Structure formats: C-alpha cells, structure tokens
Amino acid sequence: MSLLEFESVTLKFGGLTAVDNLSFEVEEGEVFAIVGPNGAGKSTVFNLISRFYDPFAGSIRFDGHDLLRVKPSGVASYGVARTFQNIELFEHATVLQNLLVGRHRHRRTNLVSEILFLPSVRQQEIKNREKVEEIIDFLDLQAFRDKMISGLPYGVRKVVEVARALATDPKLLLLDEPASGLSVEETTDMRWWIDDIRKQMGITVLMVEHDMGLVSGVSDRVLAMADGAKLALGPPEHVQSHPAVIEAYLGKAS
Amino acid sequence: MRFVFKTNYIQDIRPWKDGYQLSLYLFLLALVFSAPWLLDDFFLGELTNVLIWAIAGLGLMILTGHTGQVSLGHAAFLAFGCYANVALIEAGVPFLLAFPLSGILTGIAGVTVAIPALRLHGIYLAIFTLALSILMDDIIVLAEPITGGVTGKFVGGVEIFGKLVDRWATPVEFFWLVLGVTLLVTIGYINLLRAPLGRSFIAVRDSEVSAQAMGVDIARTKMISFALSCSVTGWAGALMGLYAGAFNNETFSVLISIQLLMMIVIGGLGSIHGAFLGAIVVGFLPQFLSISKEYVGAIFGGNAVAIPGLEFGIFGMILIAFILFEPLGMYGRWLKIRTWFELFPFYRKEMFKRQKSYLKTERLR
Ligand SMILES: Nc1ncnc2c1ncn2[C@@H]1O[C@H](COP(=O)(O)OP(=O)(O)OP(=O)(O)O)[C@@H](O)[C@H]1O
Ligand SMILES: [Mg+2]
C-alpha cells in the first residue's frame, strides 16, 4: 500500500478542468516531485490533499484512510503537513509562536485547563517547546526565534514555513515551490534540508518545484503535468527527456 | 540594551521576560492596590470606571484583537450581562452566584449569535454585529417584564458574605470587587495566550488557510472566541450596571459599541496592554475635556460652552490620528519609545517598518 494514492481524480472550476483524471501514488520514504508549466494544476493537487476543494470524481487515500471523508482541519491529524506557494505565515506572531501552532494537532488539554494553566498544560508546553527547539536548531533559525514574521526577509519566511510544517511531526510533507524566490545559496541549503528531512527524520516529501536542478538533485520520482493531466511519471532523467514534457514546456514545434 | 539570555523552556512559558519586567508589573500592581489609601472617593470611583472599561476592552480584544473578528455590537453583550445580573439578583440569587452566571449566560448568547456570524468576514461581520447592537435597544424595550423597558432598572448595592458592596455607600469595597474581577480576567487571558487555544486564535486571525492546514478547526475556534469574548463582556456589563446604579434601553447604545472598538484600536489591537491603555483614555477623556473646557471658559470669559457630541468628536479625531500615524496603537508607540531608549543612540526609524514580501504575484497563486 502506498502512502498517498490519487485515483482518477478530476476537479473543475466552472468550465476549467484544473485536475483531469489524475492518478499517481507516493511511496513511503521517497521524495516525489511534481513539475509542469504555470497553471498545470500542481498547487490544486496540494489543495485537494488539504481538502480545500472537493474533487468532482475519483478518490484520494492517505495511509489507508479515505481522505475525502476528512474535513480540512482533520487532515493534519493524519500526519500531513504543508507549505504554501505564497507563504501563509501568521504575520503578527513570532517565529516561535508560528512553530508552536504547528504543534496544535498534539493538543491534549482543554479550555478550562488552559485558562487555569494547570500543570498538565505546563508539561505539554514544555514538550512542545522541546520539539520546536529541535526544529529551530535543524533549520538554523535561532537568530529569528523571537522575531515577528512581519519583519523577516522573504528567504527566512520560506524556511519558517518549512519549520512550522515540520513542527506538526508529519508523515508526509507537502512543499509548494520551496525554492521559488530564493538565492542560489538558499536553494542549496534547501536542497540539503530536504535530503535530511527524508533521511534523518524519515518523512516522505511531495514537492512542487520549477527549479529542475533541485528537482533532479533530490527527488526519486517526478510527475510531469500539463493542463491538469499526467504527461509522464518516472525518474527525473526519464521525465526531463520525455517528448511530451519538452513539448509542454517549449510548445509544439510545427 | 537589555539582553535576555534564555537557558530553559520555562523562561518562554512564564508571562514575563525577566526580573526587571516582573518587578515593573509588581510595582504597578502595588500602586493599584494602594489606591484606596492614595485617592479620594471621587478618583477611586474614576479608577474603578477605568478598570470596568478595561474588562470590557479585554472582552472585545479576545474577539477582535486576537481572533480578528471585528464586532461593532459588543454593547449588546454589555447590556445582556447587565440585565442578566440584575434579573438574577432580583430573583433572589445571591450576587456571588448571579455575577458569574451573568457572564456565562452572555457567553451562551454570544455563541447563538456566532452561529450565523461565522460565515461572515470583515466588514460584513461588522455590519451584522452593528445591526445586533441596534436591535438590542428594541429587544430591551419589548422585554419589559424583565428589563423594565424604557423606565429601566435601578440597582442598589449587592451583598457579598453579608457585606454591602455599593458604588456610593462603600466605594472602597466596590473597587476591590472590580479589581478582583479585572485580575482574574487578565490572568486567565495571559494563560490563554501562552496555551494552544490562544495561539489558535492568532492563527485564525492571521491566516485561515494555514491555520486549517495545521489542524485548527476554524468554525469551532471562532465559536470559542465568541463565547469567551461575550462572557467577559457580560461581566463588564454587570459591573457597569452596578456602577451606574440605573440604566435603561438607551444606556448601552450603538455609540458604546463604537466607543469600545475605538478604545481597543487606540490602545493597540492584539495586546492585553492595549485594552488597559485604551480604557485609561476612555475613562479620563471626559474629565480631561471638562477641565480644559473650564480653562477655555476662564480665558475667554463667559461660562463654559456645552457642545453636544464634543467628547465623541475628539475621540474620533484621536482615532483617526492613530490609524494614520500609529496603527499599532499606544502600545506600539510605547514599544518604539522603549526601543529608542534601549538602543540609544542607534535607533533607526526603519526598525519597525514592515518588510515587503515580494513575489506575491497572481501567477504564484
Ligand atoms: N480557486 C480557484 N478558482 C478558479 N480557478 C482556479 C482556482 N485555483 C486554481 N485555479 C485555476 O486552475 C488552474 C491550475 O492552477 P494551479 O494553481 O494548480 O496551477 P499551478 O500548476 O500551481 O501553477 P503555478 O506554477 O503557476 O503555481 C489555473 O488555470 C488556475 O487559474
Ligand atoms: Mg502553484
């Protein structure tokens, strides 16, 4: 059984078919990349997994569960975490607070115990912080931990978003264009981090990325999409040289 | 500049940064506690009034400042708490039970309102709650058997453990009651903010999509925020009723709703300090105005002119000034001044400027 299974999923926005009869599987422990030209439907695939949209047809299964029966806020509790193409951080909170929100799915306390800040809450908070500090160390965010997001540069925000997703302790990490807008050095850092996330933390990674260097560097398998449909699926070299993919990127030679 | 070296997790969990900040708060607390000996009855009454407004501000701050749901209808919940408290006392319920109940009932009323309001965002929610506040006036008139309608209600002192607590007869006892409630609400609020629920409020305020992706149930979180906010506001309303002694359908008008919202904006949205700073402005502005009117009258001769709505006009002007020049409110201004002193002479204006995040193009949706 694969970790994530898309089976003949179709999603339409009015007349536009954003995802067209798409099937693929992500195996546990791999780095799986989705590539494709702008508007191919890559982010829509992520939003389907996050349950922001209901598919028109098809099924999505995660870790043996039918994801389509889960509400959007329930997806995280199965162990799926994500970042957003457009960075969706909590702007008026500190880096530390952002990461702590990532711990929300591990909350075991209730309203009353939190207002009284009972010892159980204190213990849970200490545990949350241990986990969060580990991630801060891992992604080198010590210098920013008490800073407000609204004052951080773009490159740091991207890393904070990855950190927040990791704080949820996921099985599957969805990264939507983790390297877009990053400098060459920052992209290199990101490349090693993705490697370590898979190897050290044992987290499966599904990412959307335009930077082919990064894609072929870290991913085991690549899915190429255009207009919501699958073009090719396989190892990076194979997909990059696939005629349909080249055509989708460069247009039909006539 | 003070550097805070952090060596364990408790330092991040406890509400104060370091010993210096703790001693500052303790000093402020000691000052407030000694107020009955330092102030005469008039100013003690004014201080009590400020504290009651601060409680109301804390109530609205939960919903608007921390969960990002603008309400222009909180006077309706002040009224609800006020009438619930008095109705329970008149029904023979002892104050020590009636008072907590009045807040809880207001919280339940708040949740009832929240259910349709959950679908509304921003300006639409503001309009919805504004309508609620206007409606409350009619509801109070219609519910005459309970509320006394247009004639209103009168309430004397209440009894706590056989002791009379009354705004006029025993102002010191009344001050202790209000201070006690203020402290309890503030401590609960501080605890909430350092626990998962408080953080999920902030998450909903700043980005609903990513809050959802982190496992925060948006509808449920907003509902809890409404409940807590309305409960606290209900308590403030109950105390306002006792403070005023008499009230009717016009006491908690829409203007009070607007004033409450302005108050927390001026004080600084999204901080507990903001509610208190705003309350100080609201509480002392009328006094300040009447004193300055006397001066103006003395200079120009003739008796002090009474301009209707002057208070509100000035309040509005202060609000506009804040929105234009200091959107973070008085608390934001204080943070800047503090940083200026800490870093002297290295403070630069840009330190508090927001960085623009680039790449927010349509293409990258
Ligand atoms: N909420 C929506 N409503 C209507 N149309 C949408 C919506 N979301 C996406 N689309 C459309 O669906 C198509 C696929 O969008 P998607 O964001 O998935 O593309 P993408 O592959 O992520 O592209 P990019 O590389 O630019 O991020 C686009 O044509 C887009 O305009
Ligand atoms: Mg996209």
Side-chain angles (χ1 to χ4, degrees):
Chain A
M1 187 186 65
S2 313
L3 188 64
L4 178 74
E5 300 168 25
F6 258 60
E7 206 184 302
S8 323
V9 175
T10 300
L11 178 72
K12 291 183 184 173
F13 292 118
L16 177 94
T17 309
V19 174
D20 189 3
N21 198 19
L22 183 71
S23 303
F24 68 90
E25 275 115 43
V26 178
E27 305 299 333
E28 197 157 353
E30 74 175 335
V31 175
F32 189 102
I34 303 180
V35 300
N38 295 136
K42 306 177 299 290
S43 298
T44 308
V45 167
F46 276 23
N47 290 341
L48 279 166
I49 300 171
S50 293
R51 297 287 295 112
F52 295 162
Y53 308 128
D54 275 317
F56 193 72
S59 83
I60 305 173
R61 300 182 64 78
F62 177 76
D63 208 11
H65 305 280
D66 182 2
L67 264 196
L68 298 184
R69 301 168 76 149
V70 180
K71 55 183 180 174
S73 60
V75 176
S77 62
Y78 285 102
V80 181
R82 70 171 290 178
T83 67
F84 293 83
Q85 186 167 356
N86 240 331
I87 306 193
E88 289 278 348
L89 286 167
F90 309 122
E91 283 279 316
H92 303 286
T94 63
V95 170
L96 188 67
Q97 282 175 316
N98 267 268
L99 266 58
L100 285 169
V101 175
R103 301 298 297 163
H104 193 83
R105 82 174 178 103
H106 301 280
R107 177 184 180 212
R108 296 287 170 269
T109 50
N110 59 26
L111 173 67
V112 178
S113 62
E114 286 179 16
I115 287 180
L116 300 175
F117 216 76
L118 297 180
S120 60
V121 180
R122 183 177 297 269
Q123 252 147 40
Q124 175 182 273
E125 280 303 296
I126 290 175
K127 236 198 216 134
N128 284 344
R129 274 148 217 276
E130 277 167 6
K131 181 74 200 169
V132 163
E133 295 297 339
E134 257 172 43
I135 291 159
I136 288 178
D137 277 345
F138 173 65
L139 293 175
D140 268 339
L141 286 169
Q142 296 91 340
F144 307 103
R145 63 195 293 281
D146 290 322
K147 294 242 158 63
M148 286 280 184
I149 301 295
S150 56
L152 292 181
Y154 183 85
V156 180
R157 291 175 187 220
K158 279 241 120 134
V159 181
V160 174
E161 232 198 355
V162 175
R164 185 182 61 180
L166 286 176
T168 67
D169 237 339
K171 278 191 194 132
L172 175 68
L173 177 64
L174 312 176
L175 301 174
D176 200 344
E177 306 204 3
S180 76
L182 295 191
S183 69
V184 178
E185 298 91 70
E186 286 168 333
T187 307
T188 319
D189 280 345
M190 190 61 80
R191 182 201 185 295
W192 297 117
W193 279 327
I194 294 174
D195 246 6
D196 285 347
I197 287 168
R198 182 250 301 262
K199 292 202 183 104
Q200 287 179 16
M201 302 185 167
I203 297 170
T204 311
V205 178
L206 171 58
M207 71 169 185
V208 167
E209 184 51 62
H210 283 292
D211 184 332
M212 282 316 283
L214 179 63
V215 169
S216 46
V218 293
S219 43
D220 302 302
R221 289 194 302 151
V222 178
L223 166 71
M225 295 174 66
D227 298 327
K230 172 159 56 175
L231 287 181
L233 175 70
E237 324 76 60
H238 166 79
V239 169
Q240 252 176 315
S241 55
H242 196 285
V245 177
I246 295 169
E247 187 187 306
Y249 271 99
L250 301 178
K252 212 182 191 105
S254 53
Chain B
M1 177 164 192
R2 277 183 305 126
F3 281 103
V4 181
F5 291 102
K6 292 187 177 160
T7 48
N8 63 34
Y9 299 130
I10 305 295
Q11 273 176 300
D12 270 332
I13 293 173
R14 68 188 185 198
W16 56 90
K17 263 203 305 225
D18 53 7
Y20 170 77
Q21 206 184 28
L22 177 65
S23 41
L24 203 69
Y25 286 135
L26 287 179
F27 173 73
L28 267 177
L29 212 57
L31 209 60
V32 176
F33 266 90
S34 49
W37 292 276
L38 297 177
L39 302 175
D40 61 15
D41 282 358
F42 173 75
F43 279 106
L44 192 65
E46 291 307 308
L47 181 62
T48 310
N49 187 32
V50 167
L51 288 178
I52 296 174
W53 274 98
I55 300 171
L58 288 171
L60 185 57
M61 190 66 85
I62 297 174
L63 188 66
T64 303
H66 277 114
T67 321
Q69 312 299 306
V70 177
S71 167
L72 271 173
H74 259 49
F77 299 112
L78 285 174
F80 195 102
C82 174
Y83 281 105
N85 183 44
V86 171
L88 285 169
I89 290 174
E90 283 179 353
V93 181
F95 175 75
L96 273 188
L97 195 62
F99 180 71
L101 266 179
S102 66
I104 292 167
L105 288 176
T106 315
I108 294 170
V111 170
T112 321
V113 170
I115 292 168
L118 283 180
R119 302 174 166 278
L120 305 172
H121 284 264
I123 187 83
Y124 299 101
L125 181 65
I127 293 169
F128 174 84
T129 47
L130 183 72
L132 194 76
S133 198
I134 296 169
L135 210 63
M136 196 64 185
D137 189 332
D138 297 326
I139 293 174
I140 292 171
V141 175
L142 288 175
E144 210 207 306
I146 307 169
T147 61
V150 188
T151 335
K153 286 261 167 191
F154 299 89
V155 53
V158 292
E159 267 196 16
I160 299 175
F161 296 128
K163 256 192 150 174
L164 179 74
V165 176
D166 180 77
R167 150 96 168 100
W168 298 110
T170 54
V172 175
E173 274 75 6
F174 190 69
F175 169 76
W176 289 127
L177 169 68
V178 172
L179 182 62
V181 177
T182 313
L183 288 180
L184 286 179
V185 169
T186 310
I187 291 169
Y189 203 153
I190 292 171
N191 284 342
L192 198 69
L193 286 185
R194 54 189 178 138
L197 187 63
R199 289 194 295 264
S200 67
F201 286 170
I202 294 174
V204 168
R205 177 191 69 191
D206 286 356
S207 165
E208 287 193 13
V209 266
S210 61
Q212 220 165 23
M214 296 293 123
V216 176
D217 186 330
I218 306 287
R220 206 171 145 240
T221 307
K222 283 187 189 171
M223 199 104 92
I224 295 174
S225 176
F226 255 101
L228 290 177
S229 168
C230 293
S231 294
V232 173
T233 310
W235 283 319
L239 291 175
M240 267 181 202
L242 296 181
Y243 184 83
F247 43 87
N248 67 0
N249 60 319
E250 283 173 2
T251 309
F252 301 100
S253 67
V254 159
L255 287 183
I256 300 289
S257 286
I258 296 170
Q259 188 171 5
L260 196 56
L261 186 63
M262 289 210 254
M263 182 179 108
I264 63 168
V265 172
I266 289 174
L269 281 176
S271 76
I272 294 178
H273 296 90
F276 282 92
L277 293 172
I280 292 170
V281 174
V282 167
F284 286 120
L285 193 66
Q287 264 63 44
F288 175 75
L289 284 183
S290 64
I291 291 169
S292 45
K293 252 192 278 183
E294 267 168 39
Y295 273 105
V296 172
I299 293 167
F300 293 106
N303 41 13
V305 269
I307 308 169
L310 177 69
E311 206 175 294
F312 246 94
I314 293 198
F315 207 56
M317 279 190 271
I318 296 177
L319 180 76
I320 291 171
F322 266 101
I323 288 177
L324 285 180
F325 302 114
E326 191 56 271
L328 293 177
M330 289 167 70
Y331 185 58
R333 173 54 48 180
W334 157 245
L335 287 181
K336 282 178 201 176
I337 294 170
R338 196 179 68 190
T339 316
W340 189 87
F341 277 108
E342 280 178 359
L343 291 183
F344 183 81
F346 296 114
Y347 180 83
R348 282 171 303 118
K349 237 182 165 170
E350 290 74 35
M351 299 181 83
F352 278 89
K353 261 223 180 93
R354 291 241 222 116
Q355 291 255 353
K356 285 205 177 65
S357 60
Y358 294 98
L359 269 161
K360 286 228 171 193
T361 62
E362 266 299 288
R363 180 184 80 75
L364 295 161
R365 180 171 39 210

